[in-house]
Amino acid sequence: MTNLASNLVATALAHPDKVAIKLDDAELTWQQLHGLAAKAAGALRAAGLQTGDRVSLILPNVPAFPVLFYGTLLAGGIVVPMNPLLKAQEIEYFYTDSGAKFSFAWGDFLAEARGGAEGTETTVIASGPVGPSEEDLPAGEAIGAPVERDGNDTAVILYTSGTTGRPKGAELTHDNLDLNAKRSAEDIIGIRSDDVIMGCLPLFHVFGLTCGLNTAVRTGACLTLIPRFDPGKALEVIARDHVTVFEGVPTMYGAMLHHPDVTSTDTSSLRTCVSGGSSLPEQTLTEFEETFKVRLLEGYGLSETSPVASFNMLDQPSKPGTIGRAIPGCEMKLIGEDGEDVAAGAGVGEIAIRGDNIMKGYWNKPEATATAIPDGWFRSGDIASVDDDGFYTIVDRKKDLIIRGGMNIYPREVEEVLYTHPDVLECAVVGVPHPEMGEDVGAAVSLREGAAGDVDEIRQYVKDRIASYKYPRTVWVLDELPKGPTGKILKREIHAPSA
């Protein structure tokens, strides 16, 4: 039996009365979570779900998500998590592409979900705090023991962001997700059953799903949920629930670090923090560790790698500014533009990954799968260097590279300098068109509260600290940088102001 839901059954037996999921005053024990998931599984079967059918979840971070996620797996279905902020036209594409038979949608998102289902074969079902009512889904005999699935069977289809064309569905298997949760719990974070994990990463995203939900289910740790990240609320929950493990993206750490309640809130329960999703500025890492008196570990991964591929791990010294070393069960290497492997210390190359975390492929897209994994090594699209100890440093996304007059400029390097400026809260360096150079360097910044924000001074500050061809000729201030559902800065939505 290799169904991922087996972990829920085992944990419910081992810790029946322990709190599993918490959302403010609402709590579910492991026994209750298993019971509700088993009930949902039976209802899905009664409604006609067959093994391998797809079930979409359009839910925020509420207890219904783990109930229906594991309910679908118990019934032998495949889960298709979706961003609740999608509009009807986008939802229609996901429904059609995945062939979703059912879709559970939270009340606030029902109208868009139903609009997206028009003309498709997807049945949309309203979900309350812990799942649908019996009026919306027929009752069936509860399925407490998971339907048997092979380790290589697809458990989840996670759609990538679609920065280069329409989103593709990464097929993650039961083994992919189970082993990656195991690595996260045991090898990287050291999670135990008495831990309390902050669940502010969206569960529909692979980081929150694997390192938050699936890791909690595997270990019996409590997952305390925040439906929408807010730094003040996060600090409040850390103090209230005695959170021991915080998982977030760089913008979350920056927001908490600069929140006015940071010095008056008791965060002493924190033992370990982990960051992923995008590069963590060294300035933020250093300030956070000093302020919170806690170790902050940076790692790396993608939807296609379940997601964790490398990490600075608890049992080894960290190297700030790096994404650590390949995790157990995973290999990483660099491939140069000529297709040859790049040795440690010999320059930069594209990260390639293989191991038990690599997706089965892109759903119904064999050509895209062959392009991404041509020889057993998944091509990440990320450019990095590696040192003699096997620690990787992300230089930038391959597609984010700025070529100014034939000179390669990696935005990450410029951003690291910008983050040391006392006025800069967040920044993003992007290429802007230039008639002679082809591209030039531009920087969008948001400022710390009370900062003057003299763009000429900021530009000169960077110019004084970096090679002359790299500094941003254009700097502009935004109230807030555009972000995706996890808080990751969306460079594709940042454009220089018109002259």
Side-chain angles (χ1 to χ4, degrees):
M1 175 70 69
T2 52
N3 191 320
L4 181 65
S6 300
N7 290 335
L8 175 59
V9 178
T11 297
L13 284 171
H15 308 284
D17 301 322
K18 187 175 176 296
V19 175
I21 304 294
K22 185 173 171 60
L23 175 58
D24 292 329
D25 294 332
E27 294 180 347
L28 289 178
T29 65
W30 286 110
Q31 188 174 56
Q32 289 171 330
L33 176 57
H34 180 222
L36 288 166
K39 182 181 175 183
L44 280 167
R45 279 288 182 173
L49 183 83
Q50 300 296 311
T51 301
D53 283 345
R54 276 75 65 204
V55 177
S56 154
L57 302 184
I58 306 180
L59 303 168
N61 282 15
V62 293
F65 191 105
V67 167
L68 294 171
F69 179 85
Y70 278 95
T72 300
L73 294 179
L74 282 168
I78 296 172
V79 184
V80 185
M82 289 167 54
N83 186 341
L85 300 181
L86 293 171
K87 298 301 183 183
Q89 186 174 345
E90 299 166 300
I91 291 170
E92 180 184 13
Y93 168 75
F94 287 113
Y95 284 167
T96 303
D97 190 72
S98 68
K101 190 165 189 173
F102 298 104
S103 177
F104 292 103
W106 188 249
D108 294 347
F109 317 121
L110 263 176
E112 295 292 344
R114 286 173 174 156
E118 291 178 9
T120 74
E121 297 181 0
T122 304
T123 299
V124 176
I125 303 163
S127 174
V130 293
S133 69
E134 291 185 4
E135 299 170 2
D136 295 317
L137 199 62
E141 187 176 345
I143 301 174
V147 169
E148 188 167 347
R149 302 292 277 153
D150 184 78
N152 196 45
D153 285 337
T154 303
V156 170
I157 299 174
L158 274 171
Y159 279 86
T160 60
S161 58
T163 52
T164 55
R166 303 206 82 170
K168 301 184 290 290
E171 290 186 74
L172 302 181
T173 68
H174 290 267
D175 278 354
N176 284 156
L177 292 166
D178 181 43
L179 290 170
N180 210 245
K182 178 179 185 292
R183 314 289 189 212
S184 299
E186 296 176 10
D187 299 315
I188 302 167
I189 312 171
I191 290 176
R192 309 179 300 258
S193 62
D194 59 348
D195 274 317
V196 178
I197 304 171
M198 173 69 84
C200 57
L201 288 165
L203 297 180
F204 64 80
H205 187 272
V206 68
F207 190 2
L209 180 64
T210 293
C211 300
L213 177 58
N214 291 343
T215 295
V217 170
R218 208 177 197 288
T219 59
C222 173
L223 183 68
T224 182
L225 298 172
I226 296 181
R228 185 177 179 84
F229 179 76
D230 172 85
K233 179 67 173 180
L235 290 168
E236 174 193 323
V237 172
I238 290 170
R240 184 195 71 198
D241 295 343
H242 307 292
V243 171
T244 58
V245 176
F246 187 96
E247 302 171 346
V249 295
T251 53
M252 292 179 180
Y253 289 106
M256 289 167 60
L257 190 57
H258 300 112
H259 192 274
D261 293 342
V262 67
T263 55
S264 60
T265 303
D266 181 8
T267 60
S268 60
S269 60
L270 284 176
R271 187 184 80 248
T272 307
C273 297
V274 296
S275 179
S278 58
S279 295
L280 178 68
E282 287 190 54
Q283 185 80 9
T284 302
L285 186 152
T286 302
E287 286 186 32
F288 193 91
E289 288 191 333
E290 289 176 352
T291 302
F292 285 80
K293 304 295 186 284
V294 66
R295 193 164 172 198
L296 174 52
L297 306 172
E298 183 176 9
Y300 167 77
L302 308 97
S303 296
E304 293 91 339
T305 61
S306 304
V308 185
S310 69
F311 238 93
N312 285 276
M313 293 178 235
L314 275 175
D315 61 349
Q316 305 162 5
S318 293
K319 289 192 178 184
T322 78
I323 54 169
R325 303 194 299 183
I327 66 169
C330 173
E331 297 175 81
M332 288 171 54
K333 68 177 182 178
L334 300 180
I335 299 177
E337 292 185 7
D338 57 2
E340 298 297 316
D341 291 358
V342 178
V348 301
E350 180 180 4
I351 294 177
I353 308 162
R354 73 176 178 186
D356 54 34
N357 56 338
I358 302 299
M359 67 173 179
K360 186 175 179 178
Y362 291 117
W363 176 258
N364 288 338
K365 290 181 172 56
E367 291 182 2
T369 301
T371 300
I373 317 173
D375 51 7
W377 289 86
F378 172 73
R379 303 302 200 270
S380 69
D382 289 311
I383 304 300
S385 61
V386 61
D387 67 17
D388 291 334
D389 296 323
F391 283 76
Y392 286 78
T393 301
I394 294 284
V395 177
D396 240 303
R397 286 291 293 171
K398 195 174 182 179
K399 62 178 181 292
D400 289 340
L401 177 71
I402 299 169
I403 303 177
R404 181 181 186 272
M407 301 291 285
N408 290 354
I409 301 166
Y410 296 101
R412 167 87 190 274
E413 183 182 1
V414 186
E415 289 163 358
E416 287 286 355
V417 177
L418 279 163
Y419 271 112
T420 65
H421 190 285
D423 287 356
V424 174
L425 176 64
E426 294 177 342
C427 67
V429 170
V430 296
V432 296
H434 190 278
E436 286 93 35
M437 295 293 181
E439 279 187 301
D440 214 334
V441 184
V445 301
S446 66
L447 303 174
R448 301 191 185 199
E449 190 174 349
D454 184 330
V455 294
D456 291 331
E457 190 275 327
I458 292 173
R459 184 190 305 111
Q460 186 63 44
Y461 177 90
V462 181
K463 185 178 180 181
D464 291 344
R465 290 162 174 80
I466 205 166
S468 61
Y469 69 91
K470 297 179 183 177
Y471 81 90
R473 268 61 176 179
T474 307
V475 178
W476 64 99
V477 176
L478 298 176
D479 291 337
E480 185 177 1
L481 299 186
K483 299 183 182 72
T486 62
K488 182 178 179 178
I489 294 170
L490 297 177
K491 288 191 177 182
R492 65 179 182 272
E493 294 186 10
I494 296 173
H495 308 284
S498 306

